[in-house]
Amino acid sequence: MAVSTVLTAARAARGPSVRAAEPCATCEARAVSVCSVVRDQDLERLAQAAVQVRAGRGRAIVQRGEPAEAVFNITAGVVRLSKTLPDDRRQVVGFLFPGDFLGFAAHEAYSYDAEAVTEVRACRFQRNSFLELLAAFPAMERRLLCMASHDIQEAQDQMVLLGRKSAKERMGSFLLKMAERTAKTGGDPGLAQLPMARADISDYLGLTPETVSRSLAQLKSEGLVRLEGAHSVRLLDPAALARLAEAEFA
Amino acid sequence: MAVSTVLTAARAARGPSVRAAEPCATCEARAVSVCSVVRDQDLERLAQAAVQVRAGRGRAIVQRGEPAEAVFNITAGVVRLSKTLPDDRRQVVGFLFPGDFLGFAAHEAYSYDAEAVTEVRACRFQRNSFLELLAAFPAMERRLLCMASHDIQEAQDQMVLLGRKSAKERMGSFLLKMAERTAKTGGDPGLAQLPMARADISDYLGLTPETVSRSLAQLKSEGLVRLEGAHSVRLLDPAALARLAEAEFA
DNA sequence: CGAAATTTTGAACCGTTTCAACGGACGTGG
DNA sequence: CCACGTCCGTTGAAACGGTTCAAAATTTCG
């Protein structure tokens, strides 16, 4: 993921924010080591194609149907990807966090709306420049392919959630996933931070905001979690939660 | 996608079954032109790493958790990919048809079960050989990346279906998709052929077999379809069906 | 042709949604 | 710094769509 992060960093004279690549085998770490495969002059050339952009809470970043002329790399904040049916039913198909790519999978046009859940910073590339990078550096391409595979697996897990899990199970799965994310970015691993609104969570889990709220209340009454304000949840018994969620069934 | 198809064909002295590549921009055609990027001697080397395999109806091809040592390319028949929760709730995460890859996205272990819905023939590669191919031919890698992007978009559409559509809408979307497939392989475009059991369809659509049956009955009573036996459905009014399904919302 | 499996149909049940109202947090402006 | 208004989240009650359980009809295959 951190392709543009790295480029940005390169522009800023190679600061310590350049993250090391991790082994692709697990795809756990989405950091892409561009440095290892891109020569400095190319890096510079590409960095020039990248522009820092910002978006305030709730602002659209891309909209479904727009020609997919840009690829973004999120550097700060949280983005919500969603699709909306003509009668306004909405499904959130994913949340993007720092390091994630936006718009890469798109071919002609974006197939979803992307909006800022929190204040967002991102690195914007012209699509053509981005594709040139791929063409020039097969190792980049491989890395992206690996990341795409990972996304496919996540999507499949989400299908299990949407197709077969109860509301409480969905909520449990979601909390575990969010706590994992907190942990991965160096935060308290027992705390799930939920920067998005209940409506965003419900549209991600295929529920209503009311059901999300009720499911949380249930988990609370069972002693599995404690709500610390509306936007963070302490996991009191992650093991029990995992059992409940059958989170990706071990 | 017909990578192994092509390889197999190469072994059989380059028959007419070598499909031409189509432009990646749309990713509509999943045929991969290997011939254009792979030299003959390499093709032969790789063909030697591929083995034809068969599986009878209902037979497992790969199982979740198994080390992902092989990549398959389906050459005939239909494969069902599914995930099962510990209490036997099952979600079908996809069906594979001739030309599709199986096991490519897997990293260490397969993350799903793959079973033969009909009699299946496939081309089996050692994973390492397959990765060598990718390493040797960046154009292959690009093509796969494009295919993966396409799969991600399909997965997102399926999330909309599972998270937000009614039973009837799900059924409509499914029928349209299956009819499209029939059309693409040169069959009657107004006919959706459903080789899989109702239970497979229901596990794909996040429903029960009973609901699938009832939804079909409703569509029938509304004059949108006619059942021609249990495994093919004639679409009498595809436009109305598309409106109903909001199939990928135009 | 006949047995087993699959599909369809029927009726009661249940989890989630819907509709409605209340409570609390946040931000704005005084 | 506090008061007020708005938005968001929570809680309650009724309704609905889909599930579950049961049985009949059809298809499939030996």
Side-chain angles (χ1 to χ4, degrees):
Chain A
M1 43 178 53
V3 171
S4 63
T5 310
V6 171
L7 292 171
T8 309
R11 249 215 290 222
R14 292 274 169 89
S17 62
V18 175
R19 288 199 263 157
E22 301 202 15
C24 175
T26 62
C27 248
E28 263 311 293
R30 308 194 48 159
V32 177
S33 171
V34 175
C35 296
S36 61
V37 296
V38 180
R39 285 164 319 208
D40 281 15
Q41 71 245 43
D42 296 299
L43 199 66
E44 285 308 320
R45 182 168 55 79
L46 280 148
Q48 278 152 31
V51 184
Q52 279 272 355
V53 296
R54 289 168 167 278
R57 284 173 165 262
R59 276 278 291 292
I61 298 169
V62 311
Q63 288 185 289
R64 180 161 54 81
E66 266 178 10
E69 284 159 2
V71 175
F72 298 80
N73 186 260
I74 310 306
T75 51
V78 181
V79 174
R80 171 187 66 218
L81 299 186
S82 61
K83 294 189 160 213
T84 305
L85 293 169
D87 61 353
D88 283 340
R89 282 175 292 177
R90 189 180 70 158
Q91 178 66 37
V92 171
V93 297
F95 292 107
L96 300 183
F97 298 91
D100 287 330
F101 279 111
L102 163 60
F104 176 70
H107 288 282
E108 314 261 275
Y110 299 112
S111 59
Y112 39 66
D113 297 319
E115 288 152 304
V117 166
T118 64
E119 193 79 17
V120 164
R121 271 181 293 135
C123 214
R124 182 188 197 276
F125 296 84
Q126 279 308 116
R127 187 170 197 77
N128 289 342
S129 314
F130 194 80
L131 293 178
E132 275 173 38
L133 172 65
L134 296 192
F137 305 103
M140 268 294 305
E141 199 139 42
R142 164 155 309 195
R143 186 73 65 168
L144 272 169
L145 185 49
C146 179
M147 284 166 48
S149 304
H150 182 269
D151 288 348
I152 290 173
Q153 290 199 28
E154 284 225 324
Q156 291 175 341
D157 289 336
Q158 189 69 359
M159 288 183 212
V160 176
L161 181 147
L162 293 170
R164 291 299 180 216
K165 290 187 184 177
S166 71
K168 210 160 75 177
E169 290 166 343
R170 292 178 200 206
M171 201 60 227
S173 302
F174 182 67
L175 290 175
L176 285 169
K177 191 155 144 182
M178 291 305 286
E180 217 174 281
R181 163 150 299 280
T182 307
K184 221 179 277 176
T185 58
D188 180 342
L191 194 70
Q193 289 182 266
L194 315 177
M196 65 291 289
R198 291 288 186 268
D200 293 331
I201 298 174
S202 66
D203 285 347
Y204 182 59
L205 300 180
L207 301 169
T208 58
E210 292 92 333
T211 303
V212 165
S213 183
R214 280 188 256 265
S215 303
L216 272 174
Q218 270 189 283
L219 293 176
K220 188 174 102 184
S221 77
E222 291 167 16
L224 296 180
V225 305
R226 184 175 56 222
L227 303 187
E228 303 187 345
H231 296 284
S232 36
V233 179
R234 177 148 310 272
L235 310 192
L236 300 174
D237 190 346
L241 212 54
R243 234 173 297 127
L244 171 86
E246 296 306 346
E248 315 339 329
F249 24 100
Chain B
M1 41 169 66
V3 171
S4 65
T5 308
V6 171
L7 291 171
T8 309
R11 249 214 290 222
R14 291 273 168 90
S17 62
V18 175
R19 286 199 264 159
E22 301 200 17
C24 176
T26 63
C27 246
E28 263 312 292
R30 307 195 47 160
V32 177
S33 171
V34 175
C35 298
S36 61
V37 296
V38 179
R39 284 164 318 206
D40 281 13
Q41 71 245 42
D42 296 300
L43 200 65
E44 285 308 319
R45 182 167 56 78
L46 280 148
Q48 278 152 30
V51 184
Q52 279 272 354
V53 296
R54 288 168 167 279
R57 282 173 167 262
R59 276 277 292 290
I61 298 171
V62 312
Q63 288 184 289
R64 179 161 52 82
E66 266 179 10
E69 284 158 1
V71 175
F72 298 81
N73 186 260
I74 311 305
T75 52
V78 181
V79 174
R80 164 188 8 118
L81 298 186
S82 62
K83 294 189 161 214
T84 305
L85 294 168
D87 61 354
D88 283 340
R89 281 175 291 178
R90 190 180 69 158
Q91 178 66 36
V92 170
V93 297
F95 292 106
L96 301 183
F97 299 90
D100 287 331
F101 280 111
L102 163 60
F104 175 70
H107 289 282
E108 314 260 274
Y110 298 113
S111 58
Y112 40 67
D113 297 319
E115 287 152 303
V117 166
T118 64
E119 194 80 15
V120 164
R121 271 181 295 134
C123 215
R124 182 189 197 275
F125 295 83
Q126 280 308 119
R127 188 170 197 77
N128 290 342
S129 314
F130 194 80
L131 293 177
E132 275 173 38
L133 172 66
L134 297 191
F137 305 102
M140 269 292 307
E141 198 139 41
R142 164 156 307 197
R143 186 73 68 168
L144 272 169
L145 185 50
C146 179
M147 285 165 49
S149 304
H150 182 269
D151 287 349
I152 289 173
Q153 290 199 29
E154 284 227 322
Q156 291 175 342
D157 288 336
Q158 190 68 0
M159 289 185 213
V160 176
L161 182 147
L162 292 170
R164 291 297 178 222
K165 290 186 183 177
S166 71
K168 209 159 77 177
E169 289 166 344
R170 292 178 199 206
M171 200 63 228
S173 302
F174 182 68
L175 290 175
L176 286 169
K177 191 154 142 182
M178 292 304 287
E180 218 174 280
R181 164 150 298 280
T182 308
K184 222 180 277 176
T185 58
D188 180 343
L191 194 69
Q193 288 182 265
L194 315 176
M196 65 291 289
R198 292 288 186 270
D200 293 331
I201 299 174
S202 66
D203 286 347
Y204 182 59
L205 300 180
L207 302 169
T208 59
E210 292 92 333
T211 303
V212 166
S213 183
R214 281 188 256 264
S215 304
L216 271 174
Q218 270 189 280
L219 294 177
K220 188 176 102 184
S221 77
E222 292 167 15
L224 297 179
V225 305
R226 183 174 59 223
L227 304 185
E228 304 187 345
H231 296 283
S232 38
V233 180
R234 177 149 308 273
L235 310 191
L236 300 174
D237 190 346
L241 212 54
R243 235 174 295 126
L244 171 86
E246 296 307 347
E248 313 340 329
F249 23 101

